[in-house]
Amino acid sequence: MEVITTHGLCKSFGTTVAASDISLSVSEGQIFGFLGLNGAGKTTLIRMLLGMVRPDAGEIHLLGRRLTPRFDGWNDVGYLVETPYSYPNLTVKDNLEVHYALRRLRQKGMVEDVMERLKLTKYRDVRAGTLSLGNQQRLGLAKALIHKPRLLILDEPINGLDPEGIVEVRELLAELAAAGTTVFISSHILEEISKIAHEIAIIHQGRLVTQLSATELSARLHRKLRLSTRDNDRAAMWLQQQGYACTMNAAHELEVTDSRAIEHPEWVSAQLSQLGIAPSLLYPCTEDLEMFFLRSINHVIPS
């Protein structure tokens, strides 16, 4: 089932194009990473998904239903957009109880359960306005999760969290997805997204650059073999004689992009050793999501 689909979404603010013909789809149970630089249009798209901003053109479907002013599926949707707002003079527990009442929930224990899940129990009687930024973020996530939504939409949810908190949120999102919750997460912290996303989309200057699965992403990442010897010029000459494209990087290492060398570094090492220039450094490497992201947006023609 497609939990989110958009067709031809467009939105401008004056002369600034925030979204231009955005069409994407998100399947049930996926963690979907929505990536872009600050100002790329991520938050505008999320606000359109949540009915906070009306698109100039295009359609949105959530949970199989078209998003209109009469959409009645909000109790199946949880969200955290930018700032985790709270009532600063109320305690953590009181904030969650207000949110519980506003959502007209009827299951006892939901507040206690979500505080335990987000490790907020020890702050239950602390006023929200005195919480650290990381714990304010946890409170925002608790509000988004209290009603156990089928669709969770998060905009930069790990901002302000310490390393332990980031790991905990990552594990929580993976657990939710495994149980069937669909997670749409916007972020510029690409390393974290790469660890959990089943699919990613990249937006740049309001345009959708690409949408691909984790498997497709892995196949498109550039790979290379890096090596260094006591005579790199001689090693480079030998590599070129074997038909391997070879370049020198800024660290004065040789880089080979030929798949035969990448898949059989031990053969390269043995041959260079026979020539008396055994590698002092030899390792295959694959570009990370950050490098793929930068390579992708650099191919976009500026508007």
Side-chain angles (χ1 to χ4, degrees):
M1 174 185 173
E2 299 301 318
V3 175
I4 299 175
T5 56
T6 71
H7 301 283
L9 281 189
C10 297
K11 183 65 184 179
S12 295
F13 299 97
T15 59
T16 302
V17 177
S20 176
D21 195 26
I22 302 291
S23 298
L24 54 79
S25 59
V26 182
S27 299
E28 187 173 17
Q30 276 191 340
I31 298 178
F32 188 96
F34 192 54
L35 312 178
L37 302 173
N38 290 334
K42 301 189 304 296
T43 298
T44 296
L45 180 89
I46 284 180
R47 288 182 176 277
M48 287 193 284
L49 293 179
L50 293 170
M52 298 175 178
V53 171
R54 181 175 295 179
D56 298 331
E59 291 185 1
I60 300 170
H61 287 77
L62 300 180
L63 301 163
R65 287 170 281 179
R66 185 176 178 184
L67 183 60
T68 69
R70 295 188 177 184
F71 182 79
D72 61 356
W74 294 119
N75 262 356
D76 288 324
V77 180
Y79 61 90
L80 174 61
V81 181
E82 295 187 308
T83 305
Y85 293 106
S86 62
Y87 297 102
N89 292 320
L90 296 183
T91 66
V92 166
K93 183 180 179 184
D94 288 343
N95 264 277
L96 290 171
E97 287 183 339
V98 168
H99 197 69
Y100 175 92
L102 289 173
R103 278 201 173 269
R104 299 181 181 179
L105 301 174
R106 294 291 183 268
Q107 291 178 257
K108 291 183 178 180
M110 277 185 159
V111 170
E112 299 293 336
D113 289 347
V114 80
M115 282 195 298
E116 182 69 24
R117 197 169 201 180
L118 272 297
K119 298 193 174 181
L120 287 169
T121 302
K122 65 181 178 181
Y123 303 105
R124 59 186 295 149
D125 297 321
V126 175
R127 288 190 297 112
T130 66
L131 293 172
S132 67
L133 179 59
N135 282 325
Q136 288 179 17
Q137 199 77 359
R138 289 175 191 268
L139 178 55
L141 282 168
K143 291 179 181 180
L145 289 169
I146 190 171
H147 59 298
K148 300 178 180 178
R150 292 172 56 196
L151 170 60
L152 185 60
I153 298 176
L154 304 174
D155 189 14
E156 304 286 0
I158 57 178
N159 276 358
L161 294 179
D162 58 24
E164 182 181 14
I166 290 173
V167 171
E168 289 169 358
V169 170
R170 185 202 311 156
E171 292 174 347
L172 172 62
L173 296 181
E175 176 188 326
L176 290 168
T181 300
T182 304
V183 181
F184 185 96
I185 177 171
S186 136
S187 183
H188 66 275
I189 304 177
L190 306 187
E191 181 184 359
E192 285 305 314
I193 295 297
S194 69
K195 293 174 181 176
I196 58 172
H198 303 113
E199 190 148 350
I200 67 161
I202 294 174
I203 187 174
H204 186 58
Q205 297 178 343
R207 295 177 175 85
L208 191 66
V209 176
T210 189
Q211 177 180 340
L212 66 170
S213 68
T215 301
E216 292 168 332
L217 172 63
S218 179
R220 289 175 57 179
L221 294 177
H222 285 178
R223 300 189 301 154
K224 60 184 68 173
L225 179 68
R226 287 183 175 170
L227 62 101
S228 184
T229 74
R230 58 192 176 90
D231 190 343
N232 279 353
D233 290 338
R234 189 177 168 205
M237 184 180 300
W238 178 83
L239 288 163
Q240 290 163 357
Q241 288 172 349
Q242 308 308 306
Y244 299 149
C246 179
T247 58
M248 185 87 72
N249 65 22
H252 302 290
E253 300 167 347
L254 297 175
E255 294 188 349
V256 183
T257 55
D258 189 285
S259 61
R260 295 170 298 163
I262 294 168
E263 291 166 6
H264 299 286
E266 72 289 348
W267 183 83
V268 173
S269 178
Q271 296 303 307
L272 290 173
S273 296
Q274 287 182 14
L275 293 173
I277 47 173
S280 56
L281 175 133
L282 178 73
Y283 63 100
C285 59
T286 303
E287 73 176 338
D288 57 17
L289 179 56
E290 181 177 282
M291 292 305 299
F292 176 80
F293 170 82
L294 292 173
R295 182 159 57 84
S296 297
I297 65 173
N298 285 336
H299 288 166
V300 177
I301 300 173
S303 58

